[in-house]
Amino acid sequence: MAMPNPSSPADTRRWMRGCEVHRDAFIDPDVFALEMQTVFSHTWVFVGHGSQIPQPGDYVTTTVGDQPVVMVRQWNGGISVLHNRCAHKGVKVAGREQGNTGKFFRCPYHAWTYQLDGAVLAIPLKSGYAHSGLEGTEAALGMAAVGAVQVYRDFVFCRLSQQGESFADFFGDSLSTIDNMVDRSPEGKLEVAGGVLRYMHRCNWKMLVDNQTDTCHPMVAHESSAGTAVKVWKAAPEGTPKPMAVELFAPFVSPYEFFEGMGIRSWPNGHGHTGTADSIHAAYSPVPGYWDQMKAAYGEQRAQQILGEVRHNTIYFPNIMVKGPIQTLRIFKPLAADRTLVESWTFRLVGAPDLLLERTLMYNRLINAPTSVVGHDDLEVYERSQQALHSRGRDWVNVGRLYDPAETLTPTQVVNGTSELQMRNQYRAWAKYLAMGPEVRL
Amino acid sequence: MSLSTHQTLVDVVYHEARCIDEQRWDEWLALYTDDAHYWMPLTHGQTDPLLQGSLMYEDKMLLGIRVERLKGRRTFSQEPISRCHHLLQAPSVEMLDAGLGQARLRTAFHYVETRGDEQQLYAGWASHDLRLQGADWRIVLKRVDLVNCDAAFGNIQLFM
């Protein structure tokens, strides 16, 4: 039995006031430690995708906040998420990033074995525990399951805390972005495909989350990359067909007016997205054959509706971003106050032309790789922030563009695309979960 | 193969590395054919650059954008600039077809990229597919296989 801590020590006013966030939120290791036990424990955090583990015994190891976990397919087709820690001496049981464990997990240290749901299966030389009171120890409980797991259209989320908000309450209408990405497959099915780009950032994870709905930086920070791409393209001989790479780069340096008109929608609990009316993904060239497949699968009207939704970046608080029209998902894995591992995933729309996956992979390479010039632009400013926020010359970070103190009264709203409303929404959610304090295990 | 052809091919690889290390970007780009690609796979033994993810798979236009960007006044990730150093093992000629004017070389390397006070070491193998154009051997495909291609990296801003 576990309960929220009634004597929560968190005074969120220390970290957020109006449209300002205190610099300690980004640089203080104590805040980071508290985030791991609150924000990443009480919320529903993305773990992985069902297509990674099709068969019973298939597993993926990952982290939820700072917690090592293993996501595993059960015999009955369900998916469990277990703390990846042997009940005996604490060894990480599943060792590979991805694999099949067979009928059970086996610890490499003393060969304690566990059912796929974490229950103890066998302990070598068990007679040695015959009168030891093993059944009264924690070890007898096996590998611990996380508080709750929910699989939504193959996307696997978990809540570490035993008690808390339901999945449906936490995400609400924001699930429409996942719906749209899945619906873009004529078969209504996605597969993780193409490999994951892993990019180490020496900055706080919230800077990345903040950046996803920041529509006033592309024309500035990415002038060097996307701006140069446009310049080089303009110098190409007339009549040269526009390369896919230019089509992907160019919208980044659209004028402010474009981003203003793009729109931003925020939902309760820190979720929200850019691109309600238009987006940088709206004007890609049609992929031959795709429209006919969609029309056949859904009918013309519904297919138009699905493909007409061109949402840019959707933040699922706390730490993923999904792009429906280009089938990518980014995870901002917090490692320390000043260290974040960014994983960029790509999906195949099952039944759709390969060219869509090819475009998705090119986008990921050009924008999200450690070798990406757009990535270089962004990481430079994050790392400069991480350093300069140690300045005592100013204490607060400003997220006040188009701020209205009354905005908190409207949980879901659509506003001007250059508003920092969604950033404030994220920081408010962050402060809310922080204030709950760690779950107390009774 | 004649000793002089062998040396000519090997010299292309050495010359390319030197152009990069000395940041002679225009000269470096001119070593590539117009239809060339520069490929850094994401996984060991990768065969597909299009339907599998890569760290880089760039044609000459994209390489040209990188070179222009490195020169740009608003390229803040190059304040201060990055510098790099190649240490190459003697390239081996894996294939040579003098008639077709095609060759492939393989070169083990250590590559260091520095910026400010930071220095990163990378190790791997480069393969150069060369084509004879007129009197000169040009690069059609450069493939860079890092020994830890699947690791999480920070910024890699120059060329291996």
Side-chain angles (χ1 to χ4, degrees):
Chain A
M1 182 64 188
M3 304 274 288
N5 185 349
S7 59
S8 165
D11 177 2
T12 60
R13 284 167 304 178
R14 213 190 116 206
W15 296 307
M16 191 165 184
R17 60 176 197 196
C19 61
E20 294 177 293
V21 184
H22 195 275
R23 64 194 181 91
D24 283 352
F26 304 94
I27 63 173
D28 185 346
D30 292 340
V31 172
F32 181 84
L34 187 60
E35 284 174 341
M36 293 305 104
Q37 296 182 67
T38 57
V39 174
F40 283 85
S41 187
H42 303 320
T43 63
W44 289 85
V45 179
F46 177 73
V47 184
H49 192 262
S51 66
Q52 299 173 288
I53 51 169
Q55 301 299 324
D58 285 350
Y59 71 84
V60 165
T61 58
T62 180
T63 49
V64 172
D66 61 351
Q67 299 293 289
V69 299
V70 54
M71 170 179 93
V72 57
R73 181 74 68 176
Q74 299 296 309
W75 292 104
N76 65 7
I79 290 173
S80 295
V81 179
L82 308 173
H83 287 269
N84 192 5
R85 185 259 199 220
C86 183
H88 180 208
K89 292 283 173 82
V91 172
K92 191 185 276 188
V93 179
R96 300 163 60 154
E97 274 170 51
Q98 198 162 347
N100 183 288
T101 191
K103 293 182 170 148
F104 51 83
F105 288 111
R106 181 179 185 273
C107 178
Y109 200 4
H110 301 95
W112 284 37
T113 54
Y114 302 93
Q115 316 263 20
L116 297 185
D117 65 1
V120 176
L121 179 65
I123 297 172
L125 218 60
K126 197 171 182 191
S127 56
Y129 292 103
H131 307 290
S132 70
L134 176 72
E135 60 282 359
T137 68
E138 232 190 6
L141 301 173
M143 292 169 70
V146 299
V149 176
Q150 179 93 30
V151 183
Y152 183 81
R153 302 197 75 174
D154 269 350
F155 288 77
V156 183
F157 292 84
C158 84
R159 190 187 65 217
L160 294 176
S161 296
Q162 300 293 325
Q163 313 251 315
E165 261 164 309
S166 73
F167 180 85
D169 286 348
F170 180 66
F171 284 123
D173 292 339
S174 73
L175 293 169
S176 52
T177 289
I178 289 179
D179 285 336
N180 181 256
M181 183 154 75
V182 180
D183 291 344
R184 284 169 175 266
S185 152
E187 297 177 23
K189 201 169 154 56
L190 299 181
E191 280 171 8
V192 175
V196 172
L197 290 172
R198 304 171 68 234
Y199 195 175
M200 195 59 79
H201 281 50
R202 286 179 303 184
C203 68
N204 189 271
W205 65 277
K206 293 188 294 299
M207 290 180 188
L208 281 133
V209 180
D210 182 305
N211 172 267
Q212 304 309 305
T213 62
D214 183 325
T215 53
C216 290
H217 87 283
M219 64 296 284
V220 181
H222 300 309
E223 181 187 338
S224 94
S225 51
T228 303
V230 170
K231 214 169 62 187
V232 169
W233 162 244
K234 276 188 183 149
E238 206 163 317
T240 315
K242 195 179 195 178
M244 186 188 279
V246 172
E247 200 172 86
L248 298 174
F249 268 140
F252 278 73
V253 282
S254 302
Y256 287 116
E257 299 73 50
F258 174 81
F259 289 100
E260 285 185 314
M262 204 165 98
I264 287 187
R265 178 181 284 119
S266 69
W267 291 293
N269 298 325
H271 316 301
H273 77 96
T274 40
T276 57
D278 197 355
S279 89
I280 65 168
H281 306 305
Y284 296 153
S285 300
V287 169
Y290 179 48
W291 168 245
D292 290 336
Q293 291 176 329
M294 289 295 285
K295 212 165 51 175
Y298 294 100
E300 185 158 354
Q301 198 187 353
R302 174 79 185 119
Q304 248 164 15
Q305 196 182 15
I306 292 167
L307 299 180
E309 190 70 69
V310 291
R311 296 179 186 190
H312 170 225
N313 290 344
T314 299
I315 285 291
Y316 287 104
F317 187 80
N319 69 327
I320 64 165
M321 183 278 279
V322 171
K323 280 183 185 292
I326 195 82
Q327 298 96 49
T328 61
L329 181 152
R330 303 181 79 203
I331 313 178
F332 313 112
K333 289 185 163 176
L335 303 182
D338 59 357
R339 207 165 164 83
T340 304
L341 173 62
V342 181
E343 292 185 356
S344 297
W345 297 32
T346 39
F347 294 89
R348 177 198 297 278
L349 298 172
V350 176
D354 278 347
L355 186 58
L356 280 158
L357 178 61
E358 189 180 325
R359 183 162 70 188
T360 293
L361 290 169
M362 179 183 270
Y363 183 88
N364 215 25
R365 223 165 41 231
L366 292 178
I367 312 300
N368 297 326
T371 37
S372 149
V373 285
V374 171
H376 297 161
D377 292 336
D378 281 325
L379 184 49
E380 177 66 16
V381 293
Y382 302 147
E383 292 188 349
R384 287 196 196 190
S385 300
Q386 196 65 36
Q387 290 159 15
L389 283 172
H390 285 271
S391 165
R392 287 181 289 272
R394 293 273 181 264
D395 279 330
W396 298 88
V397 169
N398 189 286
V399 285
R401 255 195 80 75
L402 297 171
Y403 174 55
D404 171 0
E407 71 192 17
T408 53
L409 303 175
T410 317
T412 296
Q413 52 188 314
V414 174
V415 297
N416 179 308
T418 59
S419 172
E420 288 172 339
L421 168 71
Q422 174 51 22
M423 296 177 206
R424 296 187 288 275
N425 187 34
Q426 286 155 195
Y427 290 116
R428 282 183 201 118
W430 170 80
K432 177 180 100 175
Y433 291 104
L434 213 57
M436 288 181 184
E439 187 175 57
V440 178
R441 296 172 66 183
L442 302 173
Chain B
M1 113 187 64
S2 73
L3 277 179
S4 68
T5 305
H6 182 275
Q7 193 58 46
T8 304
L9 295 171
V10 165
D11 282 349
V12 173
V13 175
Y14 287 137
H15 180 58
E16 194 223 355
R18 184 163 177 174
C19 283
I20 297 172
D21 287 354
E22 295 178 357
Q23 310 215 352
R24 286 146 51 194
W25 299 124
D26 296 326
E27 199 179 332
W28 172 66
L29 262 186
L31 295 175
Y32 285 75
T33 62
D34 286 345
D35 60 346
H37 280 87
Y38 178 110
W39 185 18
M40 284 179 80
L42 186 60
T43 52
H44 295 102
Q46 190 173 332
T47 54
D48 186 344
L50 296 178
L51 295 180
Q52 285 291 317
S54 296
L55 290 163
M56 277 176 74
Y57 184 65
E58 306 212 340
D59 59 16
K60 202 167 178 182
M61 182 198 72
L62 286 171
L63 294 176
I65 289 169
R66 284 179 185 268
V67 164
E68 282 306 304
R69 177 179 177 275
L70 289 172
K71 300 174 186 167
R73 280 189 312 114
R74 288 185 174 160
T75 305
F76 303 110
S77 76
Q78 285 297 297
E79 294 179 0
I81 67 164
S82 301
R83 297 181 191 280
C84 67
H85 175 273
H86 285 79
L87 186 64
L88 305 184
Q89 199 174 57
S92 67
V93 178
E94 304 280 304
M95 185 277 283
L96 171 65
D97 187 323
L100 285 175
Q102 292 177 355
R104 174 175 295 155
L105 287 85
R106 182 176 188 272
T107 312
F109 69 85
H110 279 188
Y111 169 84
V112 162
E113 195 170 299
T114 74
R115 190 171 167 241
D117 297 332
E118 301 284 333
Q119 174 169 299
Q120 297 292 332
L121 173 66
Y122 304 86
W125 302 269
S127 80
H128 288 77
D129 285 11
L130 304 182
R131 184 195 294 152
L132 193 59
Q133 257 184 224
D136 299 317
W137 289 91
R138 296 272 183 254
I139 301 165
V140 182
L141 174 67
K142 179 175 179 181
R143 172 176 171 145
V144 178
D145 283 283
L146 285 174
V147 66
N148 60 340
C149 55
D150 50 358
F153 299 112
N155 280 348
I156 299 172
Q157 298 205 54
L158 302 178
F159 307 93
M160 291 191 192

